[in-house]
Amino acid sequence: MVLNWLEKQHNINLNYQQIEVINHFSGPALVLAVAGAGKTTCICARTANLVIEKKVEPSRIGTLTFSKASAVDMEYRFSKLFAPLIPEAKKVHFSTIHSFCYQILKQHSIQTQSSFHLIEGRSQLNHKNTLLRKIYHYHYHDFISEDTLEEIDRLIGYAKNHLMTKEEIEKLDTNIEKFSLIYDTYEQYKAKNHLLDFNDLLTKAYLLLLNNRKYREFFSRRFDFWQLDEFQDVSPVQWEIIKLVLKNDKNILCVGDDDQTIYSFRGSSPSIMLGFGEHFSKSKKYYIEENFRCGSEIIRVSKGFIQNNNHRYHKNIFTRNEKREVPEIVVYRNEKEQVEKTIHLISNRLKENKNCSIGILYRKNVSALPIIHGLLALEIPFRVRDQATKVFRHWMVKDILDIIDYAYHPHQEDLLKGIYYRIYGYIKKEQLEQVLNTRSPNQHIIKSILTELDIEEYQVLKLNKLISSLEELKTKKGRNILTHILQSIGYEEFLKRNGSISITSSDHIISVLYQLIEKIEEPLEWRNYLNEIEGEINKFKAAKGHQNITLSSIHSAKGLEYDYVYIIDVTENIIPSLKAEAQISEKNIIDQIEEERRLFYVAMTRARNKVTMSTSSKISNKEQKESFFLDEIKCQLPYAKSLLKTIKKHYDDAMTEREISLDIGSVVFHHKFGEGVVIHKKSDFVVVKFGREEKKISIEYAGKVLRKEKRER
Ligand SMILES: Nc1ncnc2c1ncn2[C@@H]1O[C@H](COP(=O)(O)OP(=O)(O)OP(=O)(O)O)[C@@H](O)[C@H]1O
């Protein structure tokens, strides 16, 4: 009946693997699906089948997802597909795990006449960040950078999702030395003020269910049939909650694609999916391996690429779709060319087909800005899915704007307080405090240091130079504004000294700012201009209706599809983006690379017709290597053989001219393992990927082996 309905009313012919899933009735089941396999269609059809064929009450079926957007989307699709067939379709429950936990806590608060307030959510977002900022300042006596704030937030989520003990939190692999102190203070403050963040919804609900039999029984009666979508994203605490509310019959159907696990950094754990069969010894396992979305060339290339991961279920990914277009790699000369040519390619696509959909995807939100700038200039409409403008509040952008403002307002102490140690002049904290206590409010602060304090000769020279550089800044235009701040005012020097941001990532931000600042006539215009761009982006974001072009981070593009996908900035250190913690283990590096590879796979499989991956040879005028993922993809392309020969020749030639390069992405040769790619580099070792195997080799040893091999050639 359901199959007939889908075929007749919606022209959807389910394949035999999908039909098997739809017919699954009771007991635990794991559905291993591939990208574009119609997971949502399957869950909706199985729900309809339970109601129509198995006579299950619609309100007894509960489907949980991980994001609000997916829950809303599924509810909408279920109603669109089956509302005319199932009069009580609205009674089927679709929600997020968080909202399920919220109901548990709400119930508890009613019964115990206690209350709690959320410090996250649409209107509350800043509350949590404000609290973390204050706690950081309390422990470090310093202001927190946006990067550190994000990292602390992530670590808190990670610890909670893994139900970590105090001892485990103390041992967490992080550069933030006082993290466990910050964590304790945060927890104490929330407990005292009855506040909860989103992750607390999970941990508190878990504890309630674990320690209170009545709650456990009450909520396990909530549904007879449970379905869990995006199972690959489940975290340990979420999985514990689900297991606690399952009744003895364990009617749960979990659907996911382990190749699309992209939230491990936040707490999801692929091992839960991989261990499903061990947990439920009598479970069934289904596969849906046909991709209905992508052209066969995209499937062939992306499948070969993801097979480089070792920790995954083997799946026979296939499609019956035609070839469509071969995935393409484009190496541009510099970041500017990448933006211009990408927009040009997109415009041509739209000329060919004004209804086609285009996704521009990137690993870091900052990559979106030059494209946005270019699209705005050409008045091409677009949509931005996530917070691309967050970079405008990045501390580097704030510093640059403050330096400009300070040049115009040299008496303003608030401005100088934030930047005095980030610019030339060697101003010490005590000197600044001393002069701020004695000078009158309208006095030029740096001049006051010169006239009122007893300072060394070298500093007199530096301060005089700084005063004239700040004056000179007011005369600069366009790119020269930024160059002057970086070089003459000393901001570049500070970036190099500062360990909290990698040079590559500051280079990336600077390169983006260079592109945005080009047409600025005088420094003071810069702040307004950034506000204008932000306003435009928000306008486009709010605009309803269809837009051909969508800009999105790869993370936010999960679950979506476009006719044409452009993945930009596929550059070393941008993707894969690896954390460079001091004590990081080899296993951790490999796990991170595998997660990044999954992320790239998600990006590629968003495309129906063609995926174009681009990189630029230079960023901020500095040579830039392409991501080694592109080497892995090149091996899958039709022209791979001849291309590999070229690469090999290129490296052979290069090696005869200079020492072998052990930089990430370099192709190297080992006497036993053959050709490999350097995928990670530390001061004393490198990790080299030879085919599907990864080897950790000490730098000293690697140097010897690789040179020996080359000499023999
Ligand atoms: N049996 C089918 N025949 C034809 N098209 C189908 C079938 N099942 C699903 N589709 C279509 O395939 C596309 C992918 O489906 P869907 O977005 O549900 O996949 P998914 O498994 O959620 O993908 P991903 O995990 O990559 O986001 C959709 O356009 C959907 O309508």
Side-chain angles (χ1 to χ4, degrees):
M1 169 94 141
V2 170
L3 298 184
N4 268 345
W5 174 266
L6 279 175
E7 197 181 326
K8 298 242 162 65
Q9 301 294 322
H10 299 285
N11 204 15
I12 298 177
N13 282 302
L14 298 181
N15 67 19
Y16 75 96
Q17 288 186 321
Q18 291 177 314
I19 295 172
E20 270 194 329
V21 173
I22 285 154
N23 285 330
H24 175 80
F25 178 48
S26 58
L30 172 66
V31 181
L32 278 164
V34 304
K39 290 186 270 295
T40 315
T41 317
C42 260
I43 292 178
C44 291
R46 192 233 172 191
T47 309
N49 204 49
L50 285 176
V51 176
I52 290 169
E53 305 293 342
K54 309 286 179 191
K55 309 292 175 218
V56 177
E57 252 296 293
S59 61
R60 306 302 303 152
I61 308 168
T63 304
L64 300 183
T65 67
F66 292 89
S67 73
K68 185 135 191 261
S70 314
V72 171
D73 178 52
M74 205 173 291
E75 189 165 13
Y76 168 77
R77 278 170 68 177
F78 180 69
S79 155
K80 203 171 143 204
L81 289 172
F82 298 109
L85 189 66
I86 305 173
E88 291 185 309
K90 283 232 151 14
K91 288 194 181 161
V92 177
H93 184 91
F94 296 95
S95 82
T96 61
I97 295 199
H98 283 86
S99 116
F100 177 67
C101 291
Y102 181 82
Q103 285 170 26
I104 299 175
L105 297 183
K106 209 67 210 160
Q107 177 101 348
H108 178 68
S109 86
I110 293 166
Q111 283 186 355
T112 54
Q113 295 188 337
S114 57
S115 65
F116 65 87
H117 300 282
L118 279 176
I119 55 168
E120 276 181 288
R122 235 168 234 287
S123 54
Q124 312 273 354
L125 201 60
N126 289 330
H127 196 156
K128 179 185 184 185
N129 287 351
T130 314
L131 180 58
L132 287 174
R133 279 197 181 95
K134 281 189 188 154
I135 295 174
Y136 183 91
H137 194 266
Y138 173 78
H139 286 296
Y140 278 94
H141 307 290
D142 197 359
F143 297 103
I144 190 169
S145 72
E146 289 301 308
D147 286 2
T148 311
L149 179 65
E150 248 176 51
E151 180 62 0
I152 288 178
D153 189 21
R154 182 189 75 80
L155 287 169
I156 292 173
Y158 188 85
K160 284 178 182 279
N161 273 284
H162 280 82
L163 292 166
M164 282 187 169
T165 60
K166 193 168 163 42
E167 290 70 41
E168 285 168 328
I169 292 172
E170 276 162 12
K171 285 189 204 138
L172 256 173
D173 202 359
T174 171
N175 283 338
I176 301 165
E177 265 176 50
K178 296 185 183 174
F179 174 71
S180 76
L181 269 181
I182 292 173
Y183 185 92
D184 283 347
T185 317
Y186 178 64
E187 289 304 291
Q188 284 162 15
Y189 181 87
K190 280 188 296 149
K192 207 168 140 198
N193 296 285
H194 310 287
L195 302 174
L196 297 183
D197 65 20
F198 278 159
N199 291 308
D200 292 328
L201 293 177
L202 304 172
T203 50
K204 304 278 179 218
Y206 164 69
L207 289 174
L208 257 181
L209 294 170
L210 183 73
N211 299 321
N212 192 321
R213 192 168 50 85
K214 271 193 193 156
Y215 276 103
R216 211 162 47 239
E217 285 175 359
F218 179 82
F219 282 96
S220 68
R221 283 197 297 273
R222 180 74 182 81
F223 303 114
D224 295 328
F225 292 85
W226 297 77
Q227 303 186 117
L228 201 56
D229 189 23
E230 309 267 21
F231 186 47
Q232 74 278 355
D233 286 332
V234 79
S235 72
V237 64
Q238 290 167 338
W239 189 223
E240 290 307 314
I241 291 168
I242 306 278
K243 286 190 294 185
L244 283 171
V245 293
L246 277 186
K247 284 198 250 173
N248 287 340
D249 45 17
K250 311 230 179 315
N251 284 333
I252 184 158
L253 178 105
C254 298
V255 184
D257 175 5
D258 54 312
D259 288 333
Q260 293 188 67
T261 307
I262 56 173
Y263 286 113
S264 308
F265 72 99
R266 233 164 52 178
S268 66
S269 181
S271 56
I272 295 173
M273 186 164 187
L274 297 170
F276 188 88
E278 281 160 40
H279 183 77
F280 296 113
S281 53
K282 291 202 176 118
S283 63
K284 289 213 169 122
K285 199 193 275 176
Y286 300 99
Y287 287 86
I288 347 184
E289 295 163 304
E290 177 169 5
N291 175 302
F292 293 97
R293 177 184 298 138
C294 315
S296 65
E297 275 301 292
I298 297 176
I299 292 301
R300 198 181 56 72
V301 173
S302 61
K303 178 177 162 179
F305 172 71
I306 196 62
Q307 280 171 351
N308 288 311
N309 270 6
N310 288 324
H311 303 109
R312 62 187 290 267
Y313 275 116
H314 172 75
K315 292 177 269 345
N316 174 32
I317 308 173
F318 74 99
T319 184
R320 282 178 285 172
N321 289 340
E322 68 277 24
K323 224 172 162 185
R324 301 182 193 156
E325 294 180 54
V326 178
E328 189 179 17
I329 294 173
V330 191
V331 182
Y332 293 109
R333 273 173 299 184
N334 53 45
E335 66 272 42
K336 198 171 164 210
E337 191 183 55
Q338 178 178 227
V339 172
E340 285 170 2
K341 294 269 171 66
T342 303
I343 294 180
H344 180 72
L345 289 176
I346 289 169
S347 308
N348 285 347
R349 284 282 176 209
L350 288 172
K351 273 183 211 149
E352 281 165 24
N353 175 1
K354 66 179 173 30
N355 295 320
C356 71
S357 62
I358 290 169
I360 305 176
L361 309 185
Y362 33 81
R363 176 66 182 85
K364 308 259 178 189
N365 275 314
V366 62
S367 292
L369 292 175
I371 299 271
I372 290 173
H373 177 68
L375 292 170
L376 285 174
L378 295 170
E379 297 184 6
I380 302 174
F382 59 93
R383 222 160 67 88
V384 187
R385 274 188 59 80
D386 35 17
Q387 304 192 333
T389 54
K390 226 167 96 183
V391 72
F392 292 150
R393 279 171 288 286
H394 192 279
W395 55 266
M396 276 174 60
V397 180
K398 184 177 174 304
D399 282 350
I400 288 166
L401 291 171
D402 284 353
I403 291 171
I404 292 174
D405 282 353
Y406 184 72
Y408 288 87
H409 306 285
H411 58 280
Q412 273 201 13
E413 60 177 83
D414 288 356
L415 292 172
L416 189 58
K417 270 181 179 169
I419 55 168
Y420 73 94
Y421 56 97
R422 299 176 178 209
I423 55 180
Y424 285 147
Y426 301 98
I427 302 171
K428 297 189 185 83
K429 196 173 177 191
E430 312 82 68
Q431 292 177 325
L432 186 62
E433 279 168 359
Q434 204 180 338
V435 85
L436 290 178
N437 283 335
T438 52
R439 62 143 204 165
S440 58
N442 286 331
Q443 249 176 312
H444 190 301
I445 308 173
I446 301 181
K447 282 187 185 162
S448 304
I449 298 178
L450 277 168
T451 53
E452 288 172 27
L453 303 185
D454 185 17
I455 54 174
E456 306 243 0
E457 196 53 34
Y458 84 90
Q459 202 185 0
V460 173
L461 291 173
K462 296 281 176 200
L463 288 177
N464 276 321
K465 180 138 195 310
L466 177 62
I467 292 170
S468 49
S469 296
L470 286 165
E471 268 310 303
E472 213 183 319
L473 173 61
K474 295 194 260 181
T475 65
K476 300 288 175 193
K477 286 181 183 184
R479 297 175 65 86
N480 290 338
I481 301 172
L482 200 49
T483 308
H484 190 79
I485 291 173
L486 289 169
Q487 291 171 8
S488 308
I489 296 186
Y491 193 62
E492 193 167 50
E493 185 73 33
F494 160 74
L495 290 178
K496 280 187 195 152
R497 273 200 324 265
N498 183 8
S500 70
I501 181 166
S502 73
I503 290 296
T504 328
S505 110
S506 66
D507 276 350
H508 192 195
I509 293 174
I510 292 290
S511 108
V512 167
L513 293 180
Y514 262 124
Q515 293 173 70
L516 303 190
I517 210 165
E518 232 160 35
K519 297 208 169 71
I520 298 294
E521 285 289 321
E522 66 157 326
L524 271 185
E525 273 177 32
W526 180 226
R527 192 183 287 274
N528 285 343
Y529 182 66
L530 292 185
N531 286 341
E532 254 174 53
I533 299 191
E534 192 168 359
E536 291 287 339
I537 294 172
N538 290 336
K539 227 167 45 192
F540 277 117
K541 226 172 162 176
K544 297 252 178 325
H546 170 79
Q547 294 295 359
N548 294 94
I549 305 174
T550 304
L551 278 78
S552 172
S553 68
I554 305 177
H555 278 102
S556 299
K558 187 146 166 260
L560 304 176
E561 54 187 21
Y562 307 96
D563 294 324
Y564 299 96
V565 165
Y566 294 81
I567 314 174
I568 56 171
D569 282 340
V570 190
T571 303
E572 181 182 288
N573 290 325
I574 294 180
I575 186 155
S577 160
L578 305 177
K579 285 199 178 33
E581 260 112 32
Q583 298 298 320
I584 203 156
S585 64
E586 190 187 343
K587 173 164 183 326
N588 192 321
I589 298 164
I590 291 168
D591 286 350
Q592 282 190 46
I593 291 177
E594 294 215 343
E595 172 118 337
E596 293 283 314
R597 199 177 276 115
R598 289 191 291 267
L599 191 60
F600 203 72
Y601 171 76
V602 166
M604 293 176 83
T605 53
R606 298 309 93 200
R608 289 191 200 99
N609 296 340
K610 180 171 181 181
V611 55
T612 306
M613 296 149 273
S614 64
T615 174
S616 30
S617 315
K618 279 189 178 172
I619 289 188
S620 276
N621 255 332
K622 289 180 198 155
E623 298 287 340
Q624 203 65 38
K625 291 206 171 97
E626 51 191 67
S627 164
F628 69 84
F629 284 174
L630 291 185
D631 289 329
E632 297 181 4
I633 287 164
K634 280 173 194 165
C635 300
Q636 309 298 332
L637 293 174
Y639 50 86
K641 280 203 178 121
S642 63
L643 192 101
L644 274 179
K645 267 189 214 145
T646 323
I647 294 175
K648 209 159 169 167
K649 182 174 179 331
H650 168 78
Y651 277 93
D652 279 350
D653 290 350
M655 278 183 250
T656 49
E657 284 163 20
R658 59 179 162 82
E659 288 278 276
I660 187 160
S661 163
L662 292 177
D663 288 340
I664 291 178
S666 303
V667 174
V668 292
F669 300 92
H670 188 280
H671 66 287
K672 193 165 153 200
F673 307 118
E675 187 177 308
V677 178
V678 180
I679 56 173
H680 194 75
K681 188 181 177 186
K682 282 278 179 190
S683 57
D684 54 347
F685 71 87
V686 286
V687 179
V688 183
K689 193 159 176 37
F690 298 99
R692 295 185 67 164
E693 273 198 84
E694 286 165 354
K695 300 276 173 206
K696 180 176 163 184
I697 307 172
S698 82
I699 294 270
E700 199 189 358
Y701 180 68
K704 280 179 198 156
V705 174
L706 300 169
R707 272 194 220 114
K708 192 174 153 212
E709 171 68 14
K710 189 186 69 52
R711 277 194 211 113
E712 281 171 8
R713 273 163 190 270

